[in-house]
Amino acid sequence: SCDHIHKLPPEILNDPESFRIYLTEYTLLGMQLALEKARREAGFTEQELAQKLHWKVSKVKRYERDVGTHITLRSYVRWLAACGVVPPQGDPASIQQIHDTCCQESPPPPVLAETRGDS
């Protein structure tokens, strides 16, 4: 979905480097949020997941809360698998392809309240 891209200011949309940085951070945040969502939907507390992965609870908390924490790809996949989730395995799209696709699409029109006429 391009909804979040349509809300970006022109300075980011029109600068390839700024757009790349934005997409990188947006993706990382989404991946981080997926960790907590997977744990919660699996019904695990932080303590239970830590035990399942043979980690300290502080490591689970850090991965869920600190955007600057570096998690290995192996740890990311292990976390999701422990929660019964398979990580996405789709084909990666190029940043230019995302930009071109989303910037060519028009943002969705605003939803207007229906008015009733007496005619």
Side-chain angles (χ1 to χ4, degrees):
S1 168
C2 294
D3 293 343
H4 63 99
I5 292 176
H6 288 297
K7 297 174 185 170
L8 292 175
E11 309 82 71
I12 293 176
L13 284 174
N14 298 327
D15 178 45
E17 182 63 9
S18 295
F19 190 72
R20 182 192 65 76
I21 291 168
Y22 167 79
L23 279 183
T24 300
E25 295 304 315
Y26 183 83
T27 301
L28 289 170
L29 179 60
M31 291 175 73
Q32 181 185 21
L33 293 172
L35 293 175
E36 182 177 3
K37 180 181 179 190
R39 178 184 60 76
R40 288 183 185 277
E41 288 183 359
F44 295 135
T45 64
E46 291 169 339
Q47 174 90 29
E48 290 168 333
L49 181 61
Q51 288 173 344
K52 195 169 182 69
L53 292 168
H54 305 286
W55 293 352
K56 294 181 180 179
V57 176
S58 61
K59 185 174 184 178
V60 170
K61 289 181 183 215
R62 188 173 62 250
Y63 283 161
E64 284 189 354
R65 290 177 180 80
D66 185 0
V67 178
T69 297
H70 297 278
I71 184 171
T72 66
L73 186 56
R74 180 170 303 282
S75 292
Y76 185 79
V77 171
R78 282 186 62 220
W79 177 306
L80 293 178
C83 295
V85 177
V86 176
Q89 299 173 9
D91 292 330
S94 76
I95 292 172
Q96 188 63 49
Q97 181 183 15
I98 293 169
H99 182 272
D100 293 348
T101 299
C102 292
C103 291
Q104 288 175 5
E105 290 181 8
S106 303
V111 177
L112 301 175
E114 291 185 33
T115 56
R116 293 175 48 170
D118 291 331
S119 48

